C-alpha cells in the first residue's frame, strides 16, 4: 500500500468531509465523472455550533442537500447546535460527533406563541377520529426535535449528545416539575414533545446515541419496520424507547434510566388509524432502571434518589398498555432491571399477545415483584371491532430478583371468562423483603377489568410470591421464593386456575405455601414448599 493511500485511510471516514462537501468540477465523461459529496458538514450550510444562534435552518439545509445528492451522511462536528424541528429524509444518516450536542431550543411557554429566538417546533398533525384511543403524545410525530414520516434507509449515530432541554415531557401531572426545567404544555402549538419520532418508515438504524431529558419519548417509533437500535444511553423523564406497531426490531446493549415512566416499551396502539401488531422483536443486553437522578447516568455519577423522595421509579420493560394490534414473537433476554417496576406483559385493548420468551434476567431493588402479566378489558378502541384479546404461550426462565418490595409480588391475572393460557416459568429465584402481616393474606384483590393495568392498581397482594388468577395451563419448576423476614402470607395463591403443575418449588411452609381458593387439576411434586399432591377440584384449601 503506497504512502498516499495509507494517509487517506488514517483520517477516514470523517476527515474526508472537508474535502468533499462540494462537488468537484470537471468533465462529465466516464474518465472524469462529477463526484458526489460523501459527507455534509452542517456548518457549511449555515449552522454555527455556538449554542447561541438557531442552527435548525442550517441542519435542515444540509439534510436536504444530502437527499438531493441521492443520500449521504450529515455530520455534526463538535459544538452545540441549538435547534427546533429537524426533518429527516430518506437515504440520509445523521452523525453526531464526539463533543457535539444537538440542543432542543426552549418551547413556547404557556401564553406565548414562540419560543427561543422567536422560533417554534413544527405543528402537530391535525386531530383524527382515533386520537381518543391513545394519549396525545402517541398521535403526533411532527412536533418533535427530530422527526420523519414515510422514509426508508435512514439513521442516526455517533457518540455526541441529544439534549431535549426545551421539550415538554407530556404534562402527565399538571404543573409537575422535573428539577429546574420549565413546564411546557404538550398540546400548545409550537411546543416540542419528543426527541426522535418516526412514522411509517423502514430500514432504520439508531446506534451509539446519548439522549438526556428526551421529552415525552426519547424515541417514538410507530409503524417502523426493519429497525435496529444499538448501544443507546437514555437518561430521561418519561419513556425511553417506544416501539409502536413495529416489525422486525432488534434492540441491544442499551441503558435507559427513566424514573417517571417506562424504559423500553413495545406497544401496539391505534395511532396509525388501524390495529397493527408489534412482532418479531428482540430486546437483549439492556439495562433499565428508575433508580437514578436525571442526568446522573449519563455523567457517570449514578446518584440514587434520596430516601423517601416520591418518585415513580417505573423504568421497566413493558409490552403495553396501548395494545390494540398485539404482540407476537417477542424475545427479551440477558437484561438487567434495577430500582424499577416489574417486567410487564399487558393485553388491555384487544391485543393478541402470544409467543413470548423471557430469559436470563437479573433484577435488584424492584418496587413490585418481578413479573406482571395482565389480560384485561379496558378496550380502548373502535367499539364495533374491539374485543378482549388473549395472552398465551409465554416462556419465562432463568430469572433472579433480589430485595424487591414485599407488599405486591408477582401478578399473573386474566379476567373472568378470559384466562391467561400456556405459561411456563422455570429457574426462578425471588428474594424479597418480607415482613407483611398475616392480615394481608385475607385480601381479595379487585378484578378491575377495565382499569389502567399496573401492579399498584390491584393494591396489596395476599401472596408474597405469586398471585395467580384466571389462568389455564401453568407450569412452574425450580422456583424459589425467599422472604428476608418472616411473611404472614402464603407464597402462592391460586384463584380460578385450571391445570397447573408445580415441580421443585421452594418456599416457607409456615404459613402453608399454597392457598388454593378456586382451582382444578393441580399437581405438586418434589417440592420443599409442600408435600406431593394430585388434586381435582379444590376450594379454599391450603397445602
Amino acid at each position: 500500500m503506497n504512502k498516499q493511500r495509507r494517509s487517506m485511510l488514517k483520517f477516514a471516514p470523517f476527515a474526508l468531509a472537508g474535502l468533499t462537501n462540494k462537488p468537484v468540477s470537471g468533465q462529465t465523461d466516464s474518465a472524469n465523472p462529477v463526484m458526489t459529496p460523501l459527507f455534509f458538514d452542517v456548518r457549511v450550510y449555515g449552522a454555527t455550533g455556538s449554542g447561541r444562534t438557531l442552527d435548525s435552518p442550517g441542519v435542515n439545509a444540509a439534510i436536504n442537500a444530502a437527499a438531493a445528492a441521492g443520500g449521504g451522511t450529515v455530520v455534526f462536528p463538535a459544538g452545540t447546535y441549538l435547534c427546533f424541528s429537524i426533518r429527516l429524509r430518506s437515504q440520509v444518516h445523521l452523525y453526531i460527533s464526539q463533543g457535539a450536542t444537538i440542543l432542543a431550543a426552549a418551547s413556547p411557554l404557556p401564553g406565548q406563541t414562540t419560543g427561543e429566538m422567536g422560533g417554534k417546533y413544527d405543528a402537530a398533525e391535525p386531530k383524527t377520529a382515533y386520537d381518543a384511543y391513545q394519549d396525545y403524545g402517541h398521535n403526533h410525530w411532527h412536533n418533535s426535535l427530530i422527526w420523519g414520516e414515510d422514509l426508508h434507509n435512514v439513521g442516526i449515530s455517533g457518540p455526541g449528545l441529544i439534549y431535549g432541554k426545551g421539550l415538554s415531557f407530556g404534562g402527565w401531572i399538571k404543573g409537575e416539575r422535573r428539577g429546574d426545567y420549565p413546564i411546557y404544555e404538550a398540546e400548545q402549538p409550537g411546543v416540542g414533545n419528543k426527541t426522535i419520532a418516526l412514522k411509517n418508515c423502514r430500514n432504520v438504524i439508531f446506534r451509539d446515541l446519548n439522549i438526556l431529558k428526551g421529552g415525552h419519548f426519547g424515541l417514538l417509533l410507530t409503524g417502523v419496520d426493519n429497525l435496529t437500535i444499538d448501544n443507546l444511553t437514555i437518561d430521561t423523564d418519561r419513556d425511553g424507547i417506544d416501539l409502536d406497531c413495529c416489525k422486525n426490531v432488534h434492540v441491544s446493549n442499551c441503558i435507559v434510566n427513566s424514573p417517571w415512566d417506562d424504559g423500553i416499551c413495545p406497544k401496539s396502539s391505534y395511532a396509525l388509524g388501524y390495529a397493527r401488531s408489534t412482532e418479531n422483536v428482540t430486546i437483549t443486553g439492556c439495562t433499565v432502571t428508575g433508580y437514578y437522578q436525571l442526568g446522573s447516568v449519563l455523567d457517570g455519577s449514578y446518584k440514587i434518589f434520596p430516601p423517601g423522595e416520591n418518585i415513580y421509579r417505573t423504568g421497566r420493560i413493558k409490552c403495553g398498555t396501548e395494545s390494540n394490534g398485539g404482540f407476537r414473537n417477542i424475545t427479551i433476554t440477558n437484561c438487567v432491571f434495577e430500582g424499577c417496576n416489574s417486567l410487564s406483559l399487558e393485553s388491555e385493548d384487544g391485543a393478541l399477545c402470544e409467543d413470548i420468551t423471557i430469559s436470563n434476567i437479573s433484577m435488584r431493588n424492584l418496587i413490585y415483584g418481578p413479573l406482571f402479566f395482565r389480560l384485561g378489558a379496558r378496550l380502548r378502541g373502535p367499539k364495533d371491532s374491539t374485543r378482549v384479546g388473549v395472552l398465551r404461550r409465554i416462556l419465562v426462565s432463568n430469572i433472579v430478583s433480589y430485595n424487591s418490595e414485599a407488599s405486591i409480588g408477582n401478578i399473573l391475572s386474566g379476567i373472568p371468562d378470559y384466562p391467561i393460557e400456556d405459561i411456563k416459568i422455570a429457574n426462578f429465584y425471588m428474594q424479597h423483603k418480607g415482613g407483611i402481616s398475616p392480615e394481608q393474606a385475607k385480601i381479595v384483590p379487585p378484578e378491575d377489568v377495565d382499569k389502567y393495568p399496573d401492579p399498584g392498581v390491584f393494591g396489596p397482594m395476599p401472596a408474597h410470591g405469586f398471585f395467580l388468577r384466571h389462568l389455564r395451563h401453568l407450569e412452574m419448576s425450580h422456583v424459589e421464593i425467599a422472604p428476608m423476614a418472616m411473611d404472614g402470607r402464603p407464597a402462592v395463591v391460586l384463584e380460578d386456575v385450571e391445570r397447573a403443575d408445580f415441580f421443585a418449588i421452594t418456599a416457607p411452609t409456615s404459613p402453608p405455601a399454597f392457598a388454593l381458593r378456586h382451582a382444578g387439576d393441580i399437581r405438586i411434586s418434589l417440592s420443599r414448599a409442600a408435600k406431593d399432591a394430585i388434586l381435582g377440584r379444590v376450594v379454599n384449601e391450603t397445602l
Side-chain angles (χ1 to χ4, degrees):
M1 185 182 295
N2 61 42
K3 291 183 179 181
Q4 183 180 10
R5 180 168 172 76
R6 284 198 299 268
S7 177
M8 292 293 287
L9 289 174
K10 179 180 178 181
F11 295 102
F14 296 110
L16 293 173
L19 301 176
T20 58
N21 262 297
K22 297 180 181 180
V24 177
S25 60
Q27 299 177 352
T28 59
D29 58 65
S30 59
N32 296 285
V34 174
M35 295 184 65
T36 300
L38 299 175
F39 304 99
F40 298 78
D41 185 331
V42 295
R43 296 172 302 181
V44 172
Y45 295 87
T48 66
S50 67
R52 296 185 299 272
T53 61
L54 195 59
D55 283 338
S56 38
V59 171
N60 285 315
I63 292 172
N64 291 336
T73 299
V74 172
V75 179
F76 293 77
T80 299
Y81 300 87
L82 186 67
C83 293
F84 285 105
S85 291
I86 296 170
R87 306 171 195 104
L88 298 175
R89 300 282 301 274
S90 293
Q91 308 284 15
V92 175
H93 188 98
L94 305 189
Y95 183 84
I96 308 169
S97 302
Q98 193 73 267
T101 297
I102 299 176
L103 175 63
S107 292
L109 290 167
Q112 297 179 349
T113 57
T114 58
E116 197 163 359
M117 298 181 182
K120 56 185 178 181
Y121 292 89
D122 288 349
E125 297 88 330
K127 289 188 176 182
T128 68
Y130 42 85
D131 278 19
Y133 305 144
Q134 48 279 320
D135 63 29
Y136 178 84
H138 287 90
N139 289 309
H140 303 94
W141 299 264
H142 295 183
N143 57 337
S144 302
L145 175 60
I146 303 172
W147 68 269
E149 184 173 357
D150 298 321
L151 304 180
H152 61 275
N153 303 338
V154 64
I156 307 175
S157 67
L161 176 67
I162 304 175
Y163 182 12
K165 183 178 181 181
L167 301 176
S168 162
F169 60 78
W172 195 9
I173 297 177
K174 205 74 168 179
E176 184 186 18
R177 300 188 70 85
R178 302 282 196 263
D180 297 327
Y181 295 101
I183 298 298
Y184 303 109
E185 297 295 338
E187 299 188 28
Q188 180 180 330
V191 170
N193 186 232
K194 293 160 278 285
T195 299
I196 300 171
L198 296 182
K199 178 183 180 183
N200 290 332
C201 298
R202 69 180 191 276
N203 302 339
V204 176
I205 297 175
F206 298 108
R207 180 169 283 129
D208 304 331
L209 295 176
N210 299 296
I211 297 175
L212 172 63
K213 194 182 182 299
H216 192 166
F217 305 95
L219 279 73
L220 175 63
L221 309 171
T222 309
V224 178
D225 297 345
N226 301 344
L227 168 65
T228 298
I229 300 172
D230 180 59
N231 196 37
L232 271 60
T233 301
I234 301 176
D235 201 340
T236 190
D237 46 8
R238 284 295 300 274
D239 278 14
I241 300 170
D242 272 34
L243 309 166
D244 194 2
C245 306
C246 296
K247 296 184 179 181
N248 303 325
V249 179
H250 302 283
V251 181
S252 58
N253 308 315
C254 294
I255 301 173
V256 182
N257 180 48
S258 56
W260 291 274
D261 218 327
D262 297 310
I264 300 174
C265 196
K267 296 184 176 182
S268 58
S269 74
Y270 212 83
L272 295 174
Y274 63 97
R276 188 179 198 256
S277 64
T278 288
E279 58 186 66
N280 302 340
V281 176
T282 64
I283 300 172
T284 184
C286 294
T287 297
V288 292
T289 176
Y291 212 36
Y292 301 103
Q293 297 179 37
L294 182 63
S296 68
V297 169
L298 272 171
D299 69 16
S301 62
Y302 289 88
K303 296 176 183 175
I304 298 173
F305 286 103
E309 188 163 345
N310 186 23
I311 303 296
Y312 308 110
R313 307 194 188 201
T314 312
R316 60 190 162 183
I317 296 175
K318 179 184 76 170
C319 291
T321 56
E322 286 76 13
S323 50
N324 299 92
F327 307 97
R328 293 199 294 257
N329 294 348
I330 311 290
T331 294
I332 302 168
T333 188
N334 299 333
C335 291
V336 172
F337 286 53
E338 185 181 23
C340 59
N341 209 321
S342 311
L343 193 157
S344 301
L345 305 178
E346 301 169 358
S347 172
E348 287 291 322
D349 304 317
L352 181 69
C353 186
E354 61 185 9
D355 303 325
I356 296 175
T357 301
I358 298 164
S359 64
N360 302 344
I361 309 293
S362 179
M363 303 179 172
R364 294 179 69 87
N365 306 320
L366 298 189
I367 307 306
Y368 304 120
L371 302 179
F372 178 68
F373 296 174
R374 172 64 171 173
L375 172 60
R378 181 177 62 175
L379 303 183
R380 193 165 64 167
K383 292 183 179 181
D384 60 347
S385 61
T386 304
R387 304 287 184 269
V388 178
V390 300
L391 183 57
R392 63 191 179 197
R393 297 198 298 274
I394 314 296
L395 303 185
V396 180
S397 64
N398 300 339
I399 309 297
V400 60
S401 175
Y402 166 75
N403 198 41
S404 61
E405 297 294 334
S407 183
I408 299 177
N410 302 286
I411 301 174
L412 282 66
S413 178
I415 59 177
D417 300 320
Y418 296 94
I420 297 173
E421 301 176 279
D422 302 323
I423 307 295
K424 297 179 185 288
I425 300 173
N427 301 330
F428 183 102
Y429 186 97
M430 173 186 174
Q431 187 177 50
H432 65 80
K433 293 180 179 179
I436 301 299
S437 164
E439 289 299 308
Q440 192 165 311
K442 302 174 184 178
I443 290 174
V444 178
E447 293 281 0
D448 284 338
V449 299
D450 59 350
K451 291 288 184 66
Y452 183 90
D454 214 53
V457 169
F458 296 93
M461 285 288 114
H464 68 84
F466 284 85
F467 178 69
L468 307 171
R469 181 166 62 184
H470 308 307
L471 262 67
R472 302 289 182 272
H473 302 172
L474 169 70
E475 292 183 11
M476 294 177 63
S477 66
H478 298 93
V479 171
E480 181 166 357
I481 309 299
M484 299 179 188
M486 183 176 177
D487 200 293
R489 300 166 294 169
V492 183
V493 170
L494 286 72
E495 187 171 311
D496 184 25
V497 175
E498 294 292 330
R499 212 201 81 175
D501 294 334
F502 298 91
F503 177 81
I505 308 300
T506 300
T509 56
S510 179
F514 290 88
L516 290 75
R517 293 180 174 178
H518 295 87
D521 192 8
I522 307 299
R523 298 190 301 184
I524 301 172
S525 61
L526 295 177
S527 295
R528 295 179 181 272
K531 295 180 179 180
D532 289 4
I534 299 176
L535 305 171
R537 179 63 47 195
V538 183
V539 178
N540 294 329
E541 188 170 324
T542 60
L543 295 173

